[in-house]
Amino acid sequence: MTKESARKRLQDFYFLLFTFGSGLFYFCFYLASITFALVMTVIFVGIPLLASVLRTTHTFVQYERIQTKVYTDISIEPILTRTKGGRDKWIKAREAILNSSNWRAVFWLMQKFFIGVISLICAVILYVAPLAFIVTPILFQYLKIYLLGFYVNSWEKAICVMIAGCFLVWIRTRIGNSLVQIVGMYTRSMFKAIKG
C-alpha cells in the first residue's frame, strides 16, 4: 500500500465520520430551532427567529459544497449569495419564511442525518472492524474478546476472526471510495433540488 493510497483511505474515513457529525448537527439544530421558533410565534418573537434560522441554510449548504469538494473532488456550482437591502425587517423575515428554497435546504440538511448514520455504520465496518479483527490473535491471549456472539478463546477462532478482518480490508479496497462518492453525489443532488 502506498503512502498516497493510505492517505486517501484515511481521508475517506474522515469524510464518512464528518457526514455523520454534520448530519447530526443539522438535524438537532433545525429540529430544535424551528420547533422553538414556531412555538414562539404566538407572541410574535418567533417570526424573526424563524427567519434567522432559515437564513442559516445558505451558509450550511455552502459549507457542504466546500467539504464535498475537499474530500471527494466533486465540483458543485455555488449558489448565488443573497443580496442584503435596506428593507424593513418584517418584509425580509417574510421573504425568508416564504422562500421555498430555504425549506428545501432544511429538508435536505436534516435528511443528511440518516445518510450520516449509514456512513457511520459503514465507517466502523470497513475501517475500524478490520483492524480490530486482524489484531485479535495477539489480543485474545490478554483480553476477553467477544465477537458476534462468540467468545474468542482459541487460536482457531482468533485466526478465523483475523481472516474475516482481511476479507473486510479487501471489501474496503473495493467499495470504500465508492461510498464516499455516493455521499458526495447526495450533496450534488441537494444543490440541484435547492436551485430548482
Side-chain angles (χ1 to χ4, degrees):
M1 178 182 347
T2 66
K3 186 176 182 180
E4 182 63 28
S5 66
R7 187 187 66 77
K8 178 63 177 148
R9 287 193 179 107
L10 192 60
Q11 188 175 353
D12 291 348
F13 176 68
Y14 289 154
F15 183 66
L16 292 173
L17 292 181
F18 166 77
T19 300
F20 172 72
S22 61
L24 179 65
F25 169 75
Y26 298 142
F27 186 81
C28 294
F29 174 75
Y30 284 118
L31 183 67
S33 58
I34 289 175
T35 303
F36 181 71
L38 290 175
V39 168
M40 295 304 288
T41 55
V42 174
I43 56 173
F44 297 107
V45 175
I47 294 172
L49 181 62
L50 182 60
S52 297
V53 168
L54 290 175
R55 283 188 202 111
T56 63
T57 59
H58 186 264
T59 304
F60 290 142
V61 165
Q62 294 298 343
Y63 181 71
E64 285 296 313
R65 182 185 71 82
I66 293 167
Q67 291 302 316
T68 301
K69 173 64 178 159
V70 167
Y71 285 104
T72 66
D73 292 331
I74 294 175
S75 295
I76 302 170
E77 287 185 34
I79 296 175
L80 299 175
T81 57
R82 297 179 179 139
T83 58
K84 296 185 178 183
R87 294 171 296 184
D88 184 38
K89 290 180 184 179
W90 289 102
I91 294 173
K92 288 194 292 188
R94 180 178 175 266
E95 288 174 356
I97 292 170
L98 296 179
N99 188 347
S100 64
S101 68
N102 286 340
W103 291 102
R104 283 193 303 265
V106 167
F107 170 75
W108 281 85
L109 289 170
M110 286 181 73
Q111 193 175 359
K112 192 169 182 198
F113 171 69
F114 303 106
I115 304 294
V117 169
I118 294 169
S119 296
L120 179 66
I121 292 169
C122 290
V124 169
I125 291 173
L126 296 177
Y127 292 92
V128 177
L131 296 175
F133 286 8
I134 289 172
V135 298
T136 299
I138 298 169
L139 297 178
F140 91 95
Q141 301 171 38
Y142 308 106
L143 302 170
K144 291 184 176 182
I145 298 175
Y146 292 92
L147 289 173
L148 304 173
F150 69 92
Y151 177 49
V152 180
N153 58 357
S154 67
W155 280 102
E156 295 82 20
K157 291 180 182 178
I159 297 298
C160 289
V161 170
M162 185 180 77
I163 291 170
C166 293
F167 181 69
L168 285 176
V169 167
W170 179 77
I171 290 174
R172 181 188 66 209
T173 59
R174 300 288 181 249
I175 66 170
N177 191 38
S178 299
L179 290 172
V180 170
Q181 293 299 317
I182 290 170
V183 174
M185 295 308 288
Y186 174 82
T187 305
R188 180 177 277 175
S189 300
M190 175 175 65
F191 268 75
K192 287 180 183 175
I194 292 169
K195 285 182 180 180

